[in-house]
């Protein structure tokens, strides 16, 4: 009987005591977080997704990609419509999906203040540059982020903010990717260093026309070619060349830029104002291009670059 009691006592210890050699409690392996932070007078929200390998190596540091939705979108919409968390998992990077400030109208449409666009965020002079800067700092402090590998990818109005971030806080961002957007900064862009840029657009986009002009919301959007010409000068590129033009899409690259920077532009002949390779974000939304996959192109581009 005494022997039996001893065995039961031992089993109890094994069941209710951590058996690691270090005596530390097991790690709570949570991979998804909903965050809130106050910036100026605004309550800002975001979603953070960690890759499966995050907890496997205590010394590992992971790239961070900030995904910026378009007008009327949201953090969850960006993730869902563009399958971006799947790409974060396969690429083993951390992804943060911030929300734009919602309007005070019936639908609470979320926008970003990209300078001369758009809507509520612009009219209320929301400091989205400050928000994203503080978001990068917070996530980098709280999680295992490699601060030299922080990137921004944006859709439409989010792409416009990505351009503004490249102009104003390039010291925090290694590269940007812009989809179906253009640059709307005011005053002129004066980055403190050259920035790698990947631009993706459809020739059939009428909401933010590639050739420029009046688009969605009655805003005037500068031609993308002009924007890229400005950036080729800012990045002091040596020239440009067409790498592919097969009738489905044209790929242009700017080369011999300062500090090893590269600029690329994919212009598709299918799709519309949408994320290539993604889903339609709504029944009334444009159909995405199928000749390229934005997620693959973006991550392949980003991982070439680190901050100096």
């Amino acid at each position: 009987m005494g022997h039996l009691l001893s065995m039961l006592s031992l089993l109890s210890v094994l069941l209710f005591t951590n058996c690691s050699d270090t005596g530390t409690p097991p790690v709570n392996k949570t991979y998804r977080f909903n965050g809130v932070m106050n910036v100026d007078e605004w309550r800002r929200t975001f979603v953070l997704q960690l890759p499966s390998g995050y907890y496997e190596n205590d010394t590992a540091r992971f790239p961070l990609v900030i995904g910026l939705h378009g007008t009327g979108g949201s953090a969850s919409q960006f993730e869902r419509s563009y399958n971006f968390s799947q790409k974060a998992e396969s690429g083993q990077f951390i992804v943060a999906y911030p929300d734009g400030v919602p309007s005070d109208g019936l639908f609470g449409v979320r926008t970003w203040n990209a300078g001369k666009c758009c809507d509520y965020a612009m009219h209320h002079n929301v400091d989205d540059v400050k928000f994203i800067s503080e978001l990068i700092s917070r996530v980098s402090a709280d999680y295992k982020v490699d601060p030299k590998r922080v990137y921004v990818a944006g859709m439409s109005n989010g792409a416009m903010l990505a351009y503004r971030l490249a102009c104003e806080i390039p010291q925090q961002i290694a590269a940007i990717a812009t989809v179906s957007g253009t640059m709307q900064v005011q005053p002129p862009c004066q980055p403190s260093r050259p920035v790698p840029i990947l631009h993706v657009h459809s020739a059939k986009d009428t909401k933010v026309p590639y050739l420029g002009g009046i688009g969605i919301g009655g805003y005037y959007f500068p031609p993308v070619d002009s924007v890229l010409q400005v950036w080729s000068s800012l990045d002091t590129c040596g020239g440009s060349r067409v790498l592919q033009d097969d009738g489905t899409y044209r790929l242009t690259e700017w080369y011999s830029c300062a500090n090893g920077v590269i600029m690329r532009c994919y212009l598709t002949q299918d799709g519309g104002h949408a994320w290539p390779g993604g889903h339609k974000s709504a029944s009334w939304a444009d159909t995405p291009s199928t000749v390229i996959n934005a997620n693959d192109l973006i991550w392949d581009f980003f991982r070439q670059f680190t901050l100096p």
Side-chain angles (χ1 to χ4, degrees):
M1 184 68 176
H3 178 70
L4 178 60
L5 290 174
S6 298
M7 291 296 294
L8 289 173
S9 297
L10 176 60
L11 179 60
S12 175
V13 170
L14 291 175
L15 286 174
F16 296 103
T17 303
N18 175 34
C19 298
S20 68
D21 291 336
T22 61
T24 56
V27 175
N28 178 18
K29 294 185 177 180
T30 303
Y31 294 90
R32 186 176 182 81
F33 304 87
N34 291 292
V36 178
M37 54 194 297
N38 294 317
V39 180
D40 298 329
E41 72 270 30
W42 305 101
R43 180 181 183 271
R44 310 308 303 260
T45 56
F46 64 94
V47 174
L48 189 76
Q49 181 73 40
L50 306 178
S52 61
Y54 181 83
Y55 295 103
E56 303 306 315
N57 186 338
D58 288 341
T59 62
R61 290 293 178 266
F62 292 81
L64 169 64
V65 178
I66 309 292
L68 302 174
H69 63 77
T71 293
S74 67
S76 59
Q77 174 272 318
F78 188 108
E79 180 182 32
R80 180 181 64 254
S81 298
Y82 311 147
N83 295 324
F84 207 72
S85 284
Q86 288 91 323
K87 190 62 190 179
E89 173 60 23
S90 64
Q92 287 293 289
F93 58 85
I94 300 169
V95 58
Y97 304 103
D99 285 307
V101 169
S103 73
D104 53 6
L106 178 63
F107 298 105
V109 173
R110 296 182 182 274
T111 52
W112 303 106
N113 180 7
K116 294 183 286 184
C117 189
C118 293
D119 197 56
Y120 186 87
M122 177 192 68
H123 293 311
H124 287 76
N125 198 29
V126 176
D127 195 342
D128 283 316
V129 174
K130 182 178 180 180
F131 169 41
I132 301 302
S133 176
E134 292 191 5
L135 176 63
I136 292 170
S137 297
R138 172 170 167 176
V139 173
S140 298
D142 292 348
Y143 300 92
K144 298 186 295 184
V145 172
D146 182 345
K148 291 185 177 295
R149 294 188 292 165
V150 177
Y151 312 96
V152 175
M155 167 67 189
S156 188
N157 182 207
M160 299 172 199
L161 179 59
Y163 273 122
R164 184 173 185 180
L165 295 170
C167 293
E168 297 187 26
I169 56 167
Q171 72 280 3
Q172 289 184 273
I173 298 168
I176 67 166
T178 58
V179 178
S180 301
T182 188
M183 190 161 70
Q184 294 282 73
V185 298
Q186 187 178 9
C189 182
Q190 295 182 317
S192 59
R193 71 170 191 91
V195 180
I197 293 173
L198 174 67
H199 190 100
V200 179
H201 221 110
S202 168
K204 295 184 177 181
D205 190 339
T206 59
K207 295 180 174 68
V208 181
Y210 182 85
L211 296 177
I214 303 298
I216 191 169
Y219 288 100
Y220 170 77
F221 298 110
V224 173
D225 282 345
S226 298
V227 170
L228 295 176
Q229 186 59 42
V230 167
W231 270 103
S232 70
S233 177
L234 293 170
D235 286 346
T236 61
C237 300
S240 64
R241 58 195 169 206
V242 175
L243 298 183
Q244 181 164 333
D245 191 357
D246 61 3
T248 63
Y249 72 89
R250 183 182 72 209
L251 168 58
T252 305
E253 179 179 84
W254 286 258
Y255 57 89
S256 298
C257 309
N259 298 347
V261 162
I262 297 172
M263 293 172 48
R264 288 184 183 148
C265 177
Y266 287 83
L267 179 64
T268 69
Q269 296 302 317
D270 70 335
H273 191 72
W275 189 274
H279 305 297
K280 290 180 67 171
S281 57
S283 60
W284 44 263
D286 290 355
T287 300
S289 169
T290 59
V291 298
I292 60 174
N293 184 290
N295 290 350
D296 293 342
L297 296 176
I298 287 169
W299 181 238
D300 286 345
F301 184 77
F302 281 169
R303 62 184 181 177
Q304 299 178 72
F305 303 103
T306 61
L307 283 169

